[in-house]
Amino acid sequence: MQTRELGKSGLKVSTLGLGCMGMSFAFGPPRNRQEMISLIREAFSRGITFFDTAQVYGPFINEELVGEAVAPFRDQVVIATKFGFAFDAAGNETGLDSRPEHIKLMVEASLERLKTDAIDLLYQHRVDPAVPIEEVAGAVKELIEEGKVRHWGLSEPGVQTVRRAHAVQPVTAVQNEYSLWWRRPEQEMLPALKELEVGFVPFSPLGMGYLTGKIDQNTEFAENDFRTIVPRFTPEARKANRSLIEVLGRIAARKSATPAQLALAWLLAQEPWIVPIPGATKLAHLEENIAAVGIELTADDLQQIDEATSRIAIQGARLPEAMEAGTGL
């Protein structure tokens, strides 16, 4: 596994990271803890050194999972986690809270759950309209000076928020959704990050599983699967969007690859400072994703993909309207 540097921050990670959210949260019931610990350790043995989690995944149990899993090789990996939500006494998420005093309390709790003295990459999970981003950046700057955080980033911000934050404390990475079926970052975010020399970490690089080609209009999701409320995952939208999978499948076949591998290879070919974090809860999927790193797409390949996909109008919004409104995009 090769490495990439996130912008010009000096933070080097494996070319592909591992998004750990789905092991505990969002896509049905939490998976077996010991099996997920084994999977994370298997990922490390195969060269992955970048593991993504967050306080709200669970809440809390995903951080505990990652902390236990990487403990034997903690100094050889990069852990990314996120703050930005408030929780009640029962541990239920109750809304946004990026007040400086709250950030510091949440970081202390994350350090304990992750079994570490410092968080390698700390993101603000969502922009809090009640707290100026300069105050957030200032609080993280103090944590960096104290040695409790090494790098910081923003998840789902707008470009101007990134610029304002970067002016107070240099931003190492931005984490937004980006894939062959959600390309909005190309309009403003990617050019701005290139200018600022900030890394980019695409989440949902496989479209919450859709770009694997293994989901169709007949797929049934668990009641607590997040995709049951996503407009892009209604049966009608899933059926309409199969044309994208058909295109990817044809091009992937010429490269002796799967649609998922082609989708990841396409992302990796966009910029050398882009590091996708596909999730996996099965060894076979982890192996499939890792193999994408070895697929080289030529300029002609990339042109074919762009031409073919540009003719396809993706049906359905990527998020429920209320959730989209809560991002900085």
Side-chain angles (χ1 to χ4, degrees):
M1 177 74 73
Q2 297 173 330
T3 61
R4 291 188 168 194
E5 182 179 358
L6 289 173
K8 296 296 182 182
S9 64
L11 183 61
K12 293 184 178 180
V13 298
S14 51
T15 298
L16 206 66
L18 179 61
C20 299
M21 178 184 77
M23 297 177 176
S24 310
F25 181 73
F27 299 130
R31 304 305 198 270
N32 178 277
R33 182 183 178 88
Q34 286 307 126
E35 290 178 3
M36 294 303 98
I37 287 173
S38 296
L39 188 64
I40 289 172
R41 291 177 177 172
E42 188 64 35
F44 173 72
S45 75
R46 292 168 189 248
I48 290 181
T49 62
F50 187 31
F51 298 91
D52 185 89
T53 183
Q55 295 171 355
V56 79
Y57 300 161
F60 311 132
I61 59 174
N62 198 250
E63 282 189 324
E64 294 169 351
L65 169 69
V66 171
E68 181 176 346
V70 306
F73 40 83
R74 172 64 188 97
D75 61 345
Q76 300 176 65
V77 299
V78 170
I79 298 175
T81 192
K82 310 173 193 75
F83 69 86
F85 290 98
F87 303 91
D88 62 21
N92 300 305
E93 183 259 310
T94 58
L96 298 174
D97 189 347
S98 279
R99 292 172 300 150
E101 60 270 28
H102 186 69
I103 293 171
K104 293 177 180 180
L105 286 173
M106 291 292 97
V107 164
E108 292 295 339
S110 286
L111 289 169
E112 184 174 343
R113 286 189 290 267
L114 292 167
K115 303 179 186 296
T116 190
D117 296 326
I119 295 165
D120 300 300
L121 177 56
L122 178 71
Y123 294 102
Q124 182 189 36
H125 207 150
R126 290 292 181 273
V127 175
D128 185 345
V131 183
I133 195 63
E134 290 81 2
E135 292 185 19
V136 177
V140 176
K141 183 175 184 176
E142 290 178 9
L143 289 165
I144 291 173
E145 290 169 349
E146 293 170 11
K148 295 177 180 179
V149 173
R150 297 192 175 105
H151 297 266
W152 93 294
L154 299 160
S155 179
E156 294 272 75
V159 168
Q160 293 309 312
T161 299
V162 177
R163 292 186 182 279
R164 289 167 55 195
H166 193 67
V168 177
Q169 171 62 40
V171 174
T172 291
V174 165
Q175 183 181 123
N176 282 10
E177 183 170 355
Y178 183 39
S179 71
L180 275 168
W181 82 339
W182 179 256
R183 297 179 62 169
R184 185 182 293 178
E186 295 171 355
Q187 297 173 12
E188 294 184 339
M189 184 59 73
L190 292 182
L193 297 184
K194 188 169 188 175
E195 173 199 336
L196 297 172
E197 298 184 319
V198 172
F200 190 56
V201 179
F203 71 82
S204 293
L206 297 176
M208 298 188 212
Y210 191 80
L211 297 182
T212 65
K214 298 168 185 173
I215 293 174
D216 62 22
Q217 68 268 29
N218 298 314
T219 301
E220 294 186 5
F221 300 113
E223 286 186 9
N224 59 343
D225 191 309
F226 172 67
R227 289 168 292 191
T228 59
I229 63 169
V230 175
R232 195 163 285 190
F233 278 90
T234 64
E236 296 78 16
R238 281 182 265 153
K239 182 177 181 179
N241 292 329
R242 287 298 295 183
S243 56
L244 175 60
I245 301 302
E246 292 166 3
V247 165
L248 293 183
R250 287 195 297 271
I251 299 174
R254 294 203 296 269
K255 304 295 290 188
S256 298
T258 65
Q261 290 170 336
L262 186 74
L264 291 173
W266 177 85
L267 275 173
L268 292 170
Q270 300 308 301
E271 295 287 355
W273 35 267
I274 288 178
V275 180
I277 50 168
T281 57
K282 297 178 180 178
L283 179 59
H285 296 162
L286 176 68
E287 292 174 334
E288 180 181 3
N289 294 344
I290 290 174
V293 175
I295 297 172
E296 292 191 16
L297 298 179
T298 65
D300 285 345
D301 291 331
L302 294 170
Q303 184 176 352
Q304 286 180 29
I305 293 169
D306 278 344
E307 289 178 353
T309 57
S310 67
R311 294 192 290 267
I312 298 170
I314 303 300
Q315 302 298 308
R318 75 172 188 122
L319 289 174
E321 187 175 350
M323 292 187 68
E324 187 72 75
T327 72
L329 305 181

